[in-house]
Amino acid sequence: MPRKIVPRIVAVTADKKPLTLRIRWNKGDESRVDVSGLIETFRVYEPLRRSPDLFRQARVGEHGTDIVWSDEIDMAADTLWRLAQEQAGITLSPDAFKHWRERHAFTL
């Protein structure tokens, strides 16, 4: 089976838009990723909801495999890559795929 290679993160900054990151990947691509859905959904990100200053402290984790804010708060590079692809329209989100399947009467 072919091995999936997810790009590594080489730089990150908080964007001007709230709860959005600008990420530079090791392949040279740059992405603007809205992470508000994750931050609003998961309890672990509650400090980021409360503190825009903390959100702006995003930094690249060890080996570029994640973005970290503290010892307890991070986001994996593969999750951010998937979000970047979905938000750029390159791939479908799970909900969009489900609706496409339903429109075409396809099952899993």
Side-chain angles (χ1 to χ4, degrees):
M1 173 185 263
R3 200 169 136 212
K4 176 181 150 189
I5 299 175
V6 175
R8 304 270 180 162
I9 299 168
V10 295
V12 63
T13 57
D15 193 60
K16 292 177 185 174
K17 183 180 174 195
L19 302 179
T20 302
L21 299 167
R22 288 195 170 275
I23 300 171
R24 191 170 71 239
W25 304 94
N26 66 334
K27 304 280 186 188
D29 299 339
E30 289 196 22
S31 304
R32 187 173 171 201
V33 184
D34 179 347
V35 293
S36 61
L38 291 174
I39 290 173
E40 297 299 330
T41 301
F42 296 102
R43 192 175 355 175
V44 68
Y45 298 125
E46 196 270 333
L48 299 177
R49 289 194 289 272
R50 285 187 289 119
S51 175
D53 289 335
L54 178 60
F55 183 80
R56 285 190 289 275
Q57 294 176 23
R59 65 189 184 281
V60 179
E62 192 173 342
H63 307 296
T65 59
D66 60 356
I67 291 175
V68 298
W69 287 271
S70 70
D71 288 341
E72 295 86 29
I73 306 171
D74 64 0
M75 279 185 200
D78 57 344
T79 298
L80 293 162
W81 178 253
R82 179 187 51 80
L83 281 175
Q85 300 298 296
E86 289 173 9
Q87 293 173 11
I90 297 169
T91 61
L92 292 175
S93 69
D95 283 339
F97 178 67
K98 178 183 175 195
H99 294 305
W100 176 85
R101 269 191 13 250
E102 290 169 350
R103 278 195 319 273
H104 292 87
F106 292 144
T107 63
L108 289 176

